[in-house]
Amino acid sequence: MTNEEKVLKTFKEKFGQEPKYIVRAPGRVNLIGEHTDYNDGFVMPMAIERSIWIALRPRFDNLVKIYSVNNQEWGEFELANIEKESGWLEYIKGLAFYLQVAAYSLNAWEGVIYGDIPRGAGLSSSAALELVSARAFFEVSNFTWDAKEMALISQKVENDWLGLNSGIMDQLVVATAKKGFASVIDCRSLETKNYPIHNIAVVIMDTNTRRGLVDSKYNERFAQCQEAAKLLGIKTLRDISLKEFEEKTSLLSTLLEKRARHVISENERVIAATKALEKSDYKTFGQLMLASHKSLENDFEVSSKALNIMVDCALKQISCYGARMTGAGFGGCAVALVETKYIQDFSNAVRNLYYKQMNIHATVYISGAADGTKTVLF
Ligand code: GLA
């Protein structure tokens, strides 16, 4: 059974009828450009084939009522009376709250939600949950779908409802991605350019380690970047080249210098990686991925033992062009670029090697670049 069939079947079981719509939002993997988005910098993510689906029908009162297949429980809230609590429903409530703050007039719906994006793995299950909810409200209410605007409202859920100072990368790519393409995003102007991913496999390797307290460490990095920019006399770390930065390092403590060096050098790597991708020069791309990983490990200090081992296991395979941790870090997934015809051998070898060293079973996902948020049945 496909996931679409699964939400459809559960909807019929719970509501005794066919749904009116099925909407879907994907997860994402970031190829390069980590911890740059909240510094107004550059990123290169793509949407993946794992997603969250909602099967729904409109309601004509004020109640949003949802059955979660993953949690096997119901959740509900009133549109006119949204208050902060905790749990999976917060993403949907927060989204409804900020849509209404932005003067969208919302109608209610009821439905079934199911997702196959592993949680806490750095593949943006939360952005998918926000955007799939936005799409559900769009289908039952009367407004035009502006993908960028929906991404910005979803980011507010993270920043203001959940207190995570995250950037716009996840929401923007989840909202706007195109099948077959990676997106290069300028996180200041939000300008996005799509680059085809040809003849190359993107392999996602889940260390199956999850770290607690990620949010507080993330916010700490955010604050350090802001502080470094202030001391350097610039608006954000986007506003300085690596060359200029090297002449000004005396303005910073050793710690802030390391944090800033990661962000500034990472922005330059994204630009270089974009050029490499244009020429299908995967060798150079792979080297930039490794440099990104080293910088995240040593300067930004958001990698982990499991992530470092996973990257090493990947790099030992001759079919691998490059690998790095992906997402916020401290656990979760690494990503590798691999010659397409060897992906099975690559995946098996990495799983075996990683198990030998960590005594943990890794999960490997092979994913093409998928479409962003959309309605799949109406
Ligand atoms: C998380 C955040 C993003 C981004 C990455 C790190 O995924 O949600 O905004 O900052 O971490 O690159």
Side-chain angles (χ1 to χ4, degrees), residues 209-371:
T209 58
R210 305 284 184 264
R211 285 288 163 86
L213 295 178
V214 170
D215 291 7
S216 63
K217 287 194 180 154
Y218 187 97
N219 285 348
E220 182 191 281
R221 296 300 185 281
F222 174 88
Q224 288 167 341
C225 291
Q226 299 251 305
E227 177 68 12
K230 200 167 136 204
L231 292 169
L232 290 166
I234 50 181
K235 188 158 172 265
T236 68
L237 293 176
R238 149 77 178 270
D239 298 305
I240 192 167
S241 69
L242 194 55
K243 203 159 160 262
E244 287 166 302
F245 170 70
E246 296 299 357
E247 282 153 24
K248 290 189 166 182
T249 51
S250 61
L251 295 170
L252 303 179
S253 66
T254 316
L255 184 77
L256 290 186
E257 179 186 335
K258 280 171 42 165
R259 301 295 188 254
R261 177 170 289 111
H262 164 70
V263 174
I264 297 162
S265 62
E266 185 79 349
N267 276 331
E268 300 200 351
R269 281 187 287 273
V270 179
I271 305 295
T274 307
K275 290 193 184 127
L277 194 58
E278 271 174 353
K279 293 186 275 182
S280 301
D281 176 0
Y282 301 123
K283 194 162 172 252
T284 305
F285 197 107
Q287 285 162 355
L288 291 161
M289 287 174 87
L290 180 59
S292 164
H293 182 81
K294 288 288 168 209
S295 175
L296 287 157
E297 178 188 351
N298 301 322
D299 284 342
F300 217 62
E301 295 178 286
V302 293
S303 188
S304 68
K305 183 179 166 207
L307 283 166
N308 296 341
I309 287 181
M310 188 64 95
V311 166
D312 279 348
C313 295
L315 293 173
K316 288 213 172 82
Q317 313 309 313
I318 42 170
S319 57
C320 178
Y321 288 104
R324 54 184 287 278
M325 56 152 275
T326 186
F330 306 106
C333 291
V335 60
L337 269 201
V338 180
E339 260 182 89
T340 311
K341 59 182 175 193
Y342 297 115
I343 37 178
Q344 272 322 324
D345 292 347
F346 172 87
S347 307
N348 294 338
V350 167
R351 260 194 300 256
N352 289 338
L353 262 183
Y354 179 77
Y355 185 75
K356 270 191 200 141
Q357 295 188 51
M358 288 295 293
N359 211 20
I360 298 175
H361 291 287
T363 318
V364 176
Y365 310 105
I366 295 157
S367 180
D371 263 329

Side-chain angles (χ1 to χ4, degrees), residues 18-244:
E18 298 272 331
K20 184 121 195 260
Y21 310 99
I22 298 181
V23 291
R24 171 197 150 274
R28 67 98 188 89
V29 64
N30 190 17
L31 299 178
I32 195 160
E34 218 66 82
H35 289 276
T36 47
D37 61 350
Y38 53 85
N39 293 296
D40 280 358
F42 300 95
V43 292
M44 193 194 289
M46 66 176 218
I48 58 174
E49 284 152 4
R50 293 187 162 245
S51 295
I52 301 181
W53 290 261
I54 299 179
L56 71 142
R57 66 179 180 194
R59 275 180 73 102
F60 300 98
D61 57 7
N62 190 33
L63 194 69
V64 176
K65 201 174 160 193
I66 310 154
Y67 180 75
S68 158
V69 178
N70 298 79
N71 301 312
Q72 300 198 0
E73 67 180 16
W74 288 92
E76 60 176 51
F77 62 94
E78 279 179 32
L79 283 177
N81 186 19
I82 303 180
E83 270 168 29
K84 254 185 232 184
E85 287 155 311
S86 60
W88 59 274
L89 206 56
E90 289 315 285
Y91 294 89
I92 308 174
K93 282 163 61 186
L95 202 270
F97 182 85
Y98 290 110
L99 276 172
Q100 295 185 102
V101 168
Y104 286 85
S105 158
L106 299 184
N107 290 327
W109 49 271
E110 58 191 4
V112 167
I113 187 164
Y114 172 69
D116 68 355
I117 309 167
R119 278 182 259 185
L123 300 177
S124 282
S125 59
S126 57
L129 184 48
E130 289 143 13
L131 267 308
V132 79
S133 312
R135 191 71 188 180
F137 281 111
F138 157 77
E139 285 297 357
V140 299
S141 312
N142 248 332
F143 61 84
T144 3
W145 180 258
D146 176 338
K148 256 186 204 169
E149 167 108 354
M150 291 301 122
L152 287 165
I153 291 176
S154 297
Q155 188 193 10
K156 270 185 164 296
V157 178
E158 300 284 342
N159 295 169
D160 302 343
W161 198 261
L162 303 164
L164 183 72
N165 287 321
S166 53
I168 190 64
M169 163 170 72
D170 304 348
Q171 286 77 13
L172 200 58
V173 67
V174 167
T176 64
K178 293 272 170 292
K179 189 172 175 176
F181 295 88
S183 308
V184 176
I185 305 173
D186 176 337
C187 296
R188 172 167 280 166
S189 66
L190 302 192
E191 192 199 333
T192 301
K193 271 191 169 173
N194 290 326
Y195 291 85
I197 298 278
H198 283 315
N199 307 325
I200 192 82
V202 173
V203 181
I204 300 162
M205 303 162 294
D206 191 342
T207 61
N208 282 322
T209 58
R210 305 284 184 264
R211 285 288 163 86
L213 295 178
V214 170
D215 291 7
S216 63
K217 287 194 180 154
Y218 187 97
N219 285 348
E220 182 191 281
R221 296 300 185 281
F222 174 88
Q224 288 167 341
C225 291
Q226 299 251 305
E227 177 68 12
K230 200 167 136 204
L231 292 169
L232 290 166
I234 50 181
K235 188 158 172 265
T236 68
L237 293 176
R238 149 77 178 270
D239 298 305
I240 192 167
S241 69
L242 194 55
K243 203 159 160 262
E244 287 166 302

